[in-house]
Amino acid sequence: MNPKNILIIIRQAPYSSTLPAAALDILLTAAAFEQNITLLFMGDGVLHLLSEQNATSSGMRNISKALPSLELYEVKKIFLEESALHKRKIENEELVMPLATLSLPEIAEVTEKADQVFNF
Amino acid sequence: MQSFTLVIYGSPESQSSSTALNYARALLKSGHEIYRLFFYQDGVLNACSFNTPTQDEENLPVIWQTLIQEHRIDAVVCVASALERGIIDAAEAERYELPASNLREGFEISGLGQLVDGLINSDRLINFLP
């Protein structure tokens, strides 16, 4: 059976709910099943990519730590929404890893190609 | 006819759970197949057998159970979410030496792999976020 194209979008800010961590768990499980995965950070979701997050007192998982190792799971398509970064005045150097940015029309294209969208 | 997997993220009191329930009923009524119900995050609370809401409120776990048993639907509860929230079957109660188990009959505890299996093997997967 051909792998499905799965698009996982994280839009919620870090430490605001458990959904971003759930998104990561779904991503890792789908990767274990050798599905074709795209991960996209939009809106407040781009804040997950900030380096030097200290999650200790929040009692929640810091998912930014897991991102650089996703390549080991064959998850190579990780993008962020271009305008979200600009609106929050975040520079590329502040991120845990360099990522390709997508414009809104490009995001529409990626969404259209996906067999399944998880929108967190 | 198409096959569906529904993922329920919200507790019995949430719109997520009641909307998913109505959606499931509508699917069956239209002759579609429900491949699996997957209860994730707070959604696992729908599988609790200890709920006793006041008389003027619906007991969603009972309604889910009736639907699941009448139509023999595969209903999976995420193990990590369940253990975190105290939804425990007999085996887990024994393993963790807990005083009771409360998983409602008709539901089964398993892993997130069952969500991805549903994604791969059904025509559509629908998320009911909280």
Side-chain angles (χ1 to χ4, degrees):
Chain A
M1 193 182 275
N2 289 334
K4 289 200 172 180
N5 291 319
I6 302 172
L7 171 63
I8 298 178
I9 306 175
I10 296 182
R11 299 193 306 168
Q12 296 195 6
Y15 320 111
S16 63
S17 83
T18 55
L19 281 179
L24 194 68
D25 289 337
I26 290 175
L27 181 147
L28 291 172
T29 310
F33 280 74
E34 295 176 340
Q35 302 300 296
N36 187 7
I37 298 161
T38 304
L39 175 61
L40 169 64
F41 292 90
M42 290 182 73
D44 280 345
V46 299
L47 299 170
H48 286 278
L49 294 157
L50 286 173
S51 56
E52 298 181 38
Q53 292 177 48
N54 183 349
T56 321
S57 61
S58 76
M60 294 173 83
R61 272 158 69 192
N62 176 358
I63 73 167
S64 73
K65 283 192 176 160
L67 300 176
S69 59
L70 286 182
E71 202 159 304
L72 298 174
Y73 300 91
E74 299 292 317
V75 180
K76 288 170 182 159
K77 285 178 281 181
I78 308 178
F79 303 106
L80 50 83
E81 179 198 351
E82 197 173 28
S83 50
L85 219 50
H86 293 160
K87 276 182 198 157
R88 288 164 187 77
K89 300 198 175 5
I90 299 171
E91 303 292 337
N92 281 312
E93 301 77 60
E94 296 175 78
L95 306 181
V96 286
M97 58 195 287
L99 284 180
T101 56
L102 296 180
S103 66
L104 290 177
E106 284 169 330
I107 289 172
E109 223 171 278
V110 170
T111 309
E112 203 167 333
K113 280 187 192 144
D115 298 311
Q116 179 71 48
V117 179
F118 288 92
N119 189 0
F120 294 110
Chain B
M1 190 200 78
Q2 290 201 310
S3 63
F4 287 74
T5 291
L6 309 186
V7 188
I8 298 101
Y9 296 78
S11 72
E13 302 76 34
S14 70
Q15 192 66 47
S16 157
S17 176
S18 55
T19 305
L21 182 70
N22 287 335
Y23 194 90
R25 283 175 174 154
L27 283 179
L28 296 168
K29 204 174 166 188
S30 319
H32 293 298
E33 181 206 343
I34 297 178
Y35 178 80
R36 177 168 297 139
L37 299 170
F38 191 90
F39 294 88
Y40 193 28
Q41 300 246 306
D42 284 348
V44 301
L45 298 171
N46 291 287
C48 183
S49 61
F50 287 177
N51 301 54
T52 43
T54 51
Q55 275 188 354
D56 57 347
E57 286 188 50
E58 286 193 315
N59 193 335
L60 263 283
V62 170
I63 302 172
W64 273 117
Q65 180 184 34
T66 308
L67 186 85
I68 288 162
Q69 291 182 331
E70 265 176 21
H71 297 273
R72 296 168 186 265
I73 301 168
D74 187 26
V76 174
V77 175
C78 170
V79 60
S81 303
L83 290 177
E84 258 176 16
R85 291 167 180 80
I87 304 298
I88 307 291
D89 66 4
E92 303 289 354
E94 201 180 323
R95 182 179 314 164
Y96 294 97
E97 299 181 4
L98 298 167
S101 63
N102 59 357
L103 183 75
R104 189 171 280 279
E105 213 173 298
F107 295 84
E108 182 194 348
I109 289 187
S110 188
L112 206 45
Q114 297 298 311
L115 185 158
V116 177
D117 173 80
L119 163 59
I120 294 169
N121 291 311
S122 49
D123 296 314
R124 281 168 190 270
L125 177 146
I126 317 274
N127 289 299
F128 293 88
L129 291 172

